[in-house]
Amino acid sequence: MKLINEILQYTEAHDLYPDIRVVDAVPYPNLVIEGKEYLCFCSNNYLGLSIHPTVKRAAMEGIQKYGIGTCESRFIAGNIRVLEELEQELAKFKGRDASLTFATGFLTNLGVIPAIMDNPDPFGIYDIPLPINDEDNLIISDFLNHQSIREGCRISRAQVKNYIHKDMNHLEKILKRYKDKRKLIITDGVFSMDGDIAPLADIIRLARTYDAMVMVDDAHGTGVLGENGKGTAEYLGLEGQVDIEMGTLSKAIGAIGGFVAGSESLIKYLKLRSSSFIYTSAIPPEQACGILAALKLIQAEPSLRENLWRNVRRLKAGLASLGFNIVNSETQIIPIIIGSEQKCVDASRYLFEHGILAPAIKYPVVKKNESRIRLTTIATHTEEQIDKALDIFSSMGKKFSII
Ligand SMILES: Cc1ncc(COP(=O)(O)O)c(C=O)c1O
């Protein structure tokens, strides 16, 4: 415990310990903290569906029907029918043959990446030739991919090479150098800290040229990007071309869970080999019922997405005209780059004092001296709320000499 205490003392002395606030009520886009309403600019509830009356009603009906948990792995007795229905609907939504759900998005990456890239026969029971050595499998991952991808890669025991963020020359160099290996390229669809979009067409072209598989983590694109909200592949006109399409149910869908969509054989294989499918419990039943309702709304009500994009345009234009550096954000994730860790913490606290919830994102989540206020706008922000926030961002920017 000595080392743990020393680390805690250090982080507290250097103001590195995160402010983890306790939220008492969630009237999105506001949140209530210690009796005061804050305008929330940091939620991934992009379409406001977590509190949509139709979604809440469906979840409550789910509780009446199934109770609140499956209490078993799906391998044993936890494979309730609504999960199978949900997987059929997710596959249809993504335009793929099949899908498989997991309890969270993080667990999806922890389960899928090793299943595909670890030794496929750990017990030596299949009498077929296999790439047995860990070094025969190579994962090539964008440097800014999400932590759950990094952890999934680590567990897989495959060799991992990171390519410079979105640098296709670097990706090709690695593909060329390791052309004889069994290869998986992984990228976020929308990058979670910068809000930019992966160059998927180029990635797929290179993958075809050098015989690699492609996996996309579309946590922040699902429900948001594309004419029908199917995500990054739809937005870029590449539907059906990604081998392994991962998504989360915890952001635009408003619930909890993760999923992967692709071919029948991919999904069948993942059921055989994914530890986080086999050895843990599934999405709770009422969540599955709520998610089914949310998926219907996403498809039936394009106005949800239209409102979101209207807000993205307004917030971005306002920030740009104030002179903030929002790097290359192309989506609802809009970072205000501040740089110094301490300045970023102080700026975030200033926003909080003025009624805006927008936490500081700092090292080690992002690189040192690239600290930022990571803003997200959601469909249910009003124009007045965005304008009010812009006034406060403006005074924050001036006070801390950011603009
Ligand atoms: C890109 C990305 N992948 C995966 C996850 C994990 O998703 P979940 O919160 O559903 O576990 C996140 C969460 O922030 C994410 O941003």
Side-chain angles (χ1 to χ4, degrees):
M1 290 304 287
K2 184 169 172 285
L3 177 64
I4 291 173
N5 286 327
E6 277 171 12
I7 289 175
L8 284 175
Q9 277 162 13
Y10 181 89
T11 52
E12 277 157 16
H14 293 80
D15 219 352
L16 289 170
Y17 199 82
D19 293 331
I20 306 176
R21 305 193 192 280
V22 180
V23 175
D24 295 309
V26 290
Y28 286 106
N30 288 354
L31 294 179
V32 179
I33 298 171
E34 291 180 7
K36 183 175 166 191
E37 279 210 9
Y38 291 84
L39 196 45
C40 176
F41 273 89
C42 54
S43 175
N44 296 329
N45 186 16
Y46 299 131
L47 302 176
L49 290 177
S50 76
I51 58 165
H52 193 290
T54 309
V55 174
K56 290 205 290 191
R57 204 173 314 115
M60 285 189 281
E61 284 167 12
I63 291 181
Q64 293 299 344
K65 190 166 174 188
Y66 293 107
I68 62 164
T70 53
C71 307
E72 278 295 354
S73 157
R74 290 173 70 184
F75 256 54
I76 314 289
N79 192 30
I80 51 174
R81 184 162 298 284
V82 68
L83 293 171
E84 293 278 330
E85 282 168 25
L86 175 58
E87 283 163 352
Q88 281 164 17
E89 284 309 311
L90 283 167
K92 242 194 263 168
F93 173 59
K94 283 279 181 178
R96 308 306 301 253
D97 296 344
S99 85
L100 187 66
T101 54
F102 296 78
T104 71
F106 205 103
L107 283 170
T108 308
N109 282 334
L110 291 199
V112 172
I113 299 167
I116 303 293
M117 295 308 284
D118 200 356
N119 179 348
D121 187 15
F123 307 113
I125 52 178
Y126 305 131
D127 199 11
I128 46 176
L130 299 164
I132 301 287
N133 299 320
D134 299 338
E135 313 83 61
D136 291 334
N137 288 316
L138 176 70
I139 301 172
I140 316 172
S141 174
D142 188 290
F143 192 76
L144 292 191
N145 278 343
H146 189 256
Q147 183 67 13
S148 54
I149 295 178
R150 291 168 191 275
E151 301 276 345
C153 292
R154 199 162 55 89
I155 296 173
S156 81
R157 291 177 291 191
Q159 194 181 357
V160 180
K161 293 278 168 200
N162 293 309
Y163 60 94
I164 298 165
H165 181 49
K166 299 205 304 190
D167 185 329
M168 294 298 99
N169 290 330
H170 192 202
L171 172 61
E172 183 162 22
K173 224 181 233 175
I174 297 171
L175 285 163
K176 244 186 212 160
R177 182 173 305 166
Y178 297 97
K179 62 179 183 315
D180 297 330
K181 298 206 179 228
R182 184 169 168 269
K183 301 176 287 302
L184 174 67
I185 305 171
I186 307 187
T187 181
D188 281 7
V190 173
F191 288 89
S192 57
M193 290 299 139
D194 287 28
D196 53 341
I197 296 174
L200 212 44
D202 290 335
I203 291 174
I204 291 171
R205 179 181 51 76
L206 288 172
R208 301 288 175 262
T209 308
Y210 294 94
D211 190 23
M213 298 173 280
V214 176
M215 174 167 172
V216 173
D217 174 336
D218 216 10
H220 298 278
T222 301
V224 166
L225 282 179
E227 204 180 324
N228 302 291
K230 294 181 186 181
T232 305
E234 184 194 22
Y235 176 70
L236 296 173
L238 299 163
E239 267 184 275
Q241 295 190 45
V242 174
D243 300 299
I244 305 164
E245 258 188 275
M246 179 272 181
T248 58
L249 303 164
S250 56
K251 304 188 192 318
I253 316 287
I256 190 162
F259 68 97
V260 74
S263 67
E264 289 281 0
S265 55
L266 169 74
I267 299 307
K268 204 167 171 185
Y269 180 72
L270 290 175
K271 288 181 187 171
L272 181 72
R273 288 286 292 126
S274 257
S275 290
S276 59
F277 174 75
I278 300 168
Y279 297 105
T280 188
S281 303
I283 294 175
E286 75 283 4
Q287 288 281 319
C289 295
I291 294 163
L292 278 166
L295 277 175
K296 270 197 194 132
L297 285 168
I298 285 177
Q299 291 165 92
E301 293 190 16
S303 62
L304 289 168
R305 259 185 317 286
E306 284 157 18
N307 291 345
L308 174 65
W309 286 102
R310 181 203 62 206
N311 289 343
V312 170
R313 284 190 294 274
R314 193 173 187 89
L315 181 57
K316 260 193 198 157
L319 290 169
S321 77
L322 287 170
F324 283 107
N325 173 10
I326 58 167
V327 281
N328 299 315
S329 166
E330 298 170 80
T331 61
Q332 72 284 2
I333 299 170
I334 309 169
I336 295 182
I337 303 296
I338 294 188
S340 131
E341 277 72 40
Q342 190 60 56
K343 202 191 256 193
C344 193
V345 170
D346 293 343
S348 168
R349 287 183 186 153
Y350 176 91
L351 292 177
F352 190 69
E353 281 159 21
H354 290 78
I356 303 271
L357 193 61
I361 307 284
K362 52 191 190 297
Y363 178 79
V365 178
V366 292
K367 281 193 209 156
K368 267 214 156 106
N369 294 319
E370 288 191 12
S371 294
R372 64 203 54 201
I373 306 282
R374 174 184 177 271
L375 300 177
T376 53
T377 180
I378 67 174
T380 51
H381 280 132
T382 62
E383 294 187 351
E384 293 70 35
Q385 286 169 331
I386 290 181
D387 292 347
K388 179 180 163 201
L390 283 167
D391 283 344
I392 297 167
F393 296 145
S394 169
S395 57
M396 177 271 283
K398 286 176 191 141
K399 180 173 171 65
F400 294 96
S401 310
I402 300 162
I403 50 174

